[in-house]
Amino acid sequence: GNADILEALGVGKQLTAADVTASSLRAKVDEVAGSAEIRARLAEVSAEVRADGGVKRAADAVESSLPAR
C-alpha cells in the first residue's frame, strides 16, 4: 500500500493497524519529524519533483488519465 511505498522511498515510517494507538502514533510522528535522514530524503524527492515539472505536471498527468466528461 501507500505506507509501504513511502517507507521504501525513505520518506516515512509505518505502523501496522494492530499497533496503532494514540501513544504509538504520537511516537512515530515524533520519530519521523525528528529524523535527519527522512528530512534529507524529503529534500531529495522534492528536488526531483520540481526538476520533473512539479505539482502542475503531476496534476496534468493525473487529469490526462481520467475519462473525458
Side-chain angles (χ1 to χ4, degrees):
N2 289 337
D4 293 324
I5 294 168
L6 294 173
E7 192 162 39
L9 287 171
V11 298
K13 299 284 183 175
Q14 63 178 309
L15 289 170
T16 64
D19 292 333
V20 175
T21 64
S23 178
S24 67
L25 181 58
R26 178 63 185 193
K28 195 60 72 173
V29 168
D30 288 344
E31 177 186 347
V32 169
S35 171
E37 294 84 9
I38 290 177
R39 188 172 22 263
R41 185 64 186 129
L42 283 167
E44 291 172 5
V45 170
S46 178
E48 290 172 16
V49 169
R50 281 193 309 276
D52 220 14
V55 174
K56 181 179 180 342
R57 181 163 179 214
D60 289 344
V62 170
E63 288 176 353
S64 71
S65 70
L66 297 174
R69 292 187 201 188

